[in-house]
Amino acid sequence: MNEFPQLETDRLILREPQLSDADDVYDYMRRGSVQTFIPNIPVEYTRENAKEYLESVKDELNLEEKIVWGITHRSDSKLIGMANIHDINERNKQGSLGYALNPEYQNNGYMTEAVTAIIDYAFTDYTFDDNNIFHRVEAEVAAENKPSRSLLTDKLGFTEEGKHRDKINIRGHYHDAYTYGLLREDWQ
């Protein structure tokens, strides 16, 4: 795959992140409510951290392994979050979801809309070298992250597949995590 897959919904455009998005990334990533469940980010998140993150996304761009979308609001093109499908595994035709949303936009259905577009893309349009599409999408979520767990099970139809004790290390503290899975046959 050579061309970045821009996705569009009624209210959102999911596009390739740009370095010019640094202020918007900083705006939501510096908030404690967003940082609570994201490993490997500094507590004192700075604009420089946001720039470094966006540079790493650009430098590590390999659409066969990971696709990172900037979630922008269609009305004003403001970046309101990020979502990705990572650990793409061609042999097993699967990948894992990750996402974060500016708290100012939470509880409005934006992440449901964005992740629905990503899952639709994975199950219908993403093609591996052998021309097959995804068979499975999964997500791993900290046990305390009830909004994300609800998004996956209640709104998107994922199945809870297991609980892993002390699976995720966030700022030196281990958290239990749940794994959720969705098969293509369950999405259609």
Side-chain angles (χ1 to χ4, degrees):
M1 174 186 317
N2 297 325
E3 190 173 316
F4 188 88
Q6 180 168 299
L7 308 176
E8 297 188 18
T9 70
D10 290 341
R11 300 181 295 168
L12 304 171
I13 297 174
L14 282 69
R15 60 161 173 79
E16 187 172 0
Q18 304 297 319
L19 294 177
S20 59
D21 294 322
D23 284 342
D24 290 335
V25 171
Y26 167 73
D27 182 44
Y28 71 85
M29 288 298 288
R30 66 184 169 84
R31 300 171 191 229
S33 62
V34 174
Q35 292 183 3
T36 301
F37 301 113
I38 301 177
N40 304 320
I41 63 169
V43 174
E44 298 296 325
Y45 198 82
T46 65
R47 281 185 170 77
E48 188 59 33
N49 294 132
K51 288 177 187 174
E52 290 169 1
Y53 169 70
L54 290 166
E55 287 171 357
S56 74
V57 167
K58 202 109 176 120
D59 291 346
E60 298 168 7
L61 184 64
N62 180 344
L63 301 178
E64 283 80 35
E65 295 176 11
K66 179 179 183 178
I67 304 171
V68 179
W69 286 273
I71 303 169
T72 59
H73 201 276
R74 191 181 278 277
S75 66
D76 61 8
S77 301
K78 177 179 175 60
L79 186 120
I80 62 172
M82 304 278 276
N84 66 69
I85 189 159
H86 59 278
D87 295 334
I88 297 173
N89 181 311
E90 181 169 4
R91 180 177 183 193
N92 294 312
K93 311 294 185 258
Q94 65 186 24
S96 298
L97 289 172
Y99 43 82
L101 187 67
N102 185 324
E104 293 176 19
Y105 293 87
Q106 292 176 0
N107 300 311
N108 290 298
Y110 291 119
M111 194 53 76
T112 302
E113 198 170 314
V115 174
T116 295
I118 292 169
I119 294 169
D120 281 341
Y121 170 74
F123 287 152
T124 60
D125 296 320
Y126 184 99
T127 53
F128 292 97
D129 288 340
D130 61 3
N131 290 320
N132 279 308
I133 54 179
F134 272 76
H135 171 72
R136 171 187 167 83
V137 174
E138 63 185 27
E140 187 174 84
V141 181
E144 301 91 345
N145 192 346
K146 292 178 183 174
S148 187
R149 293 173 56 203
S150 175
L151 168 72
L152 294 169
T153 58
D154 300 340
K155 297 178 181 159
L156 298 171
F158 278 69
T159 299
E160 183 182 301
E161 297 180 332
K163 181 178 180 180
H164 309 274
R165 297 181 314 135
D166 285 353
K167 173 77 179 204
I168 301 173
N169 184 334
I170 301 174
R171 289 188 194 81
H173 300 283
Y174 286 95
H175 299 262
D176 293 350
Y178 287 92
T179 299
Y180 297 89
L182 180 68
L183 301 179
R184 182 177 62 234
E185 63 197 42
D186 296 334
W187 184 252
Q188 297 174 339

